[in-house]
Amino acid sequence: MMAASPPLASTFLLIVAAVSFLIHPATSQTCKLQTFPHTNNTKFANCADLPTLKAYLHWTYDASSKPDPTLSIAYVAPPARPDGWVAWALNPTGSGMVGAQALVAFRGTNGSAVVKTYNISSYGPLVESEIAYAVVSKMAEHTGGVITIFATLALPAGSAPAVNQVWQVGASVTDGVPAKHSFQPENLKSKGSLLLKAGTSPVPAPMPESGGRATPSIPRVNSFSGRNGGSVLGLHGALVLLGVTLGF
């Protein structure tokens, strides 16, 4: 009987350690290790490991900026193929790609990364255009198989504390036009709600209006849990998972 105690005690400690990891995942966020040497290691107030497409977002919201509040971001993702593209967008009228006010980056004709803006009004071919937000600045870097988009957007005064965001990657660019992305589950789930500042609470989203140009009112969609964000399994799920793993 006494010989069984050490294995049981060890199993209990493993369970406690695993549950603690799930409850306190922030320390393992990969985004916290990322730096931006080509921009003098620009610092952002917040970052998140996005839950799909191996993507990351860094952001700072400046409500005191004049004449309008600004949202500065660094979006980091590998394109689906080396000559592909990456995109990040705000969508003021819905939770998907249609209506997205997008920043899309890829290698230009000279080999350096370029970033362009697209008002995505349909699922047809992309056409470069202005977007519903004033673009204060934008640039892109392509290094180590990863593209980073840096941008600052002016948001309307009084914007809701949560904004709809969409992110995406694609495999190819033809004559300067990004080709359609894949429709795998990972691509279809690449959307969520971004809290502009830590500690703010999302507000209910109004119903999107149909037709017309996207207007920069910011509704909320269901918030996501990042790859290291939130205790997704919960205590019970962790115990069940560990029980299966350890042969209980």
Side-chain angles (χ1 to χ4, degrees):
M1 294 296 291
M2 295 298 295
S5 297
L8 288 175
S10 299
T11 299
F12 176 76
L13 290 174
L14 284 172
I15 292 173
V16 171
V19 171
S20 297
F21 174 78
L22 289 169
I23 296 174
H24 302 287
T27 56
S28 62
Q29 280 183 294
T30 301
C31 68
K32 292 183 178 295
L33 305 177
Q34 294 174 334
T35 58
F36 307 108
H38 295 104
T39 57
N40 296 319
N41 282 328
T42 299
K43 300 294 183 182
F44 293 88
N46 312 282
C47 77
D49 296 2
L50 299 177
T52 65
L53 302 177
K54 301 177 182 178
Y56 307 87
L57 184 73
H58 302 252
W59 75 98
T60 297
Y61 178 65
D62 184 359
S64 64
S65 179
K66 302 296 181 184
D68 296 303
T70 57
L71 176 64
S72 298
I73 65 100
Y75 167 72
V76 184
R81 291 183 180 176
D83 292 326
W85 53 269
V86 305
W88 180 86
L90 295 180
N91 190 334
T93 60
S95 62
M97 188 59 71
V98 173
Q101 307 299 296
L103 300 162
V104 183
F106 49 87
R107 282 185 177 178
T109 54
N110 63 356
S112 60
V114 297
V115 54
K116 299 184 177 182
T117 57
Y118 299 84
N119 179 354
I120 304 177
S121 58
S122 69
Y123 284 110
L126 288 181
V127 177
E128 185 179 3
S129 61
E130 293 183 354
I131 60 175
Y133 305 95
V135 180
V136 179
S137 64
K138 60 183 175 68
M139 64 167 288
E141 295 178 351
H142 190 297
T143 181
V146 171
I147 296 178
T148 302
I149 296 175
F150 298 94
T152 297
L153 304 178
L155 302 189
S159 294
V163 294
N164 296 336
Q165 67 167 339
V166 184
W167 62 96
Q168 197 55 257
V169 301
S172 64
V173 178
T174 303
D175 296 327
V177 180
K180 287 184 179 180
H181 61 78
S182 173
F183 288 87
Q184 296 299 315
E186 199 176 30
N187 300 89
L188 299 178
K189 294 178 180 179
S190 57
K191 55 186 178 181
S193 178
L194 176 69
L195 293 180
L196 294 177
K197 294 189 294 183
T200 58
S201 300
V203 296
M207 292 298 293
E209 297 179 0
S210 59
R213 177 181 170 88
T215 56
S217 60
I218 311 296
R220 173 183 175 265
V221 295
N222 292 334
S223 60
F224 61 82
S225 296
R227 292 198 294 278
N228 296 291
S231 179
V232 178
L233 291 177
L235 178 59
H236 179 264
L239 294 175
V240 171
L241 177 61
L242 280 169
V244 172
T245 304
L246 298 174
F248 286 0

